[in-house]
Amino acid sequence: MDLMNMCVGLQGAKAYKNLRFLLQKVLKQSDVGSLGRIVLPKKEAEVHLPELKSRDGISIPMEDIGTSRVWNMRYRFWPNNKSRMYLLENTGEFVRSNELQEGDFIVIYSDVKSGKYLIRGVKVRLPAQEQRSGSSAAGKAQADVSSRSRESQCS
C-alpha cells in the first residue's frame, strides 16, 4: 500500500493532505482518570501549540477526526520549578467517548489551510479474539509505533 492510501486509511475521508502532525501522547493512568486532563509533552507543546502568556491558558476547539465532533478543550500550563507543565483540560468526555485507557494514545494535528486543530484517540489494546489466540502484545505495540511513524508523514 502506498503512503497516500495509508494516510487515507489512517485519517478517513478528511482532507489528509492539509493536516500537519503536531504531537502524540501515550496516555497514562492520570490522563484517563476522573480529573479530565491530559499532560502534554513539553517540547512538542512549546513548538507546535500557541504560545501561552498566562497560566490560565486559552480555549482550543479540537475536532475529533473519528466523529467530527468539536471538543472545547482548555490548553494551559502549570509552573513547575523553573519550567512549565502543559495540559489539555476538559478532556474527560473525549476520553470516555473514544473509550481510551492507559497505554492508548492521542494524536493532535493542525489543518494548514484553516488553522483548526484536530485530535484523534487511538486504542492499542488487542481485541479479545487476538488475546485468546496468544498474539503478542509487544508485536501489536511495535505495529502501532510503525503506524504512527508512517502517519506523521501524511502531511
Side-chain angles (χ1 to χ4, degrees), residues 22-58:
L22 301 180
L23 65 88
Q24 66 188 24
K25 162 74 191 279
V26 176
L27 300 173
K28 296 181 179 182
Q29 185 57 44
S30 59
D31 297 319
V32 298
S34 61
L35 296 174
R37 63 181 179 227
I38 296 173
V39 176
L40 297 174
K42 180 181 188 295
K43 182 178 177 183
E44 289 88 342
E46 289 180 338
V47 170
H48 298 295
L49 295 176
E51 181 180 355
L52 296 177
K53 304 288 187 200
S54 87
R55 63 183 289 170
D56 292 335
I58 58 173

Side-chain angles (χ1 to χ4, degrees), residues 1-151:
M1 175 182 287
D2 69 311
L3 184 59
M4 190 65 75
N5 286 330
M6 191 176 309
C7 292
V8 171
L10 288 169
Q11 299 169 342
K14 284 276 170 210
Y16 55 87
K17 63 186 174 206
N18 294 328
L19 296 185
R20 183 171 68 103
F21 171 85
L22 301 180
L23 65 88
Q24 66 188 24
K25 162 74 191 279
V26 176
L27 300 173
K28 296 181 179 182
Q29 185 57 44
S30 59
D31 297 319
V32 298
S34 61
L35 296 174
R37 63 181 179 227
I38 296 173
V39 176
L40 297 174
K42 180 181 188 295
K43 182 178 177 183
E44 289 88 342
E46 289 180 338
V47 170
H48 298 295
L49 295 176
E51 181 180 355
L52 296 177
K53 304 288 187 200
S54 87
R55 63 183 289 170
D56 292 335
I58 58 173
S59 179
I60 297 184
M62 291 208 185
E63 183 178 331
D64 188 327
I65 289 177
T67 65
S68 296
R69 179 173 176 182
V70 176
W71 301 94
N72 289 309
M73 299 183 184
R74 183 148 206 88
Y75 171 54
R76 62 178 301 222
F77 71 88
W78 286 342
N80 186 12
N81 293 325
K82 293 181 180 178
S83 186
R84 293 178 171 190
M85 186 165 77
Y86 293 91
L87 307 162
L88 265 186
E89 295 181 327
N90 305 329
T91 59
E93 196 175 342
F94 169 79
V95 166
R96 284 188 296 279
S97 74
N98 282 278
E99 300 176 351
L100 299 174
Q101 296 179 9
E102 181 179 9
D104 295 339
F105 63 95
I106 61 165
V107 186
I108 299 176
Y109 304 88
S110 64
D111 183 311
V112 295
K113 288 192 175 181
S114 69
K116 293 193 300 188
Y117 290 95
L118 297 95
I119 190 167
R120 185 166 70 104
V122 180
K123 293 182 255 227
V124 297
R125 294 177 306 287
L126 293 172
Q129 180 74 25
E130 289 180 38
Q131 288 176 347
R132 285 192 295 273
S133 68
S135 294
S136 160
K140 173 67 174 151
Q142 182 59 44
D144 289 329
V145 168
S146 297
S147 174
R148 288 191 302 246
S149 176
R150 286 188 299 268
E151 179 181 336

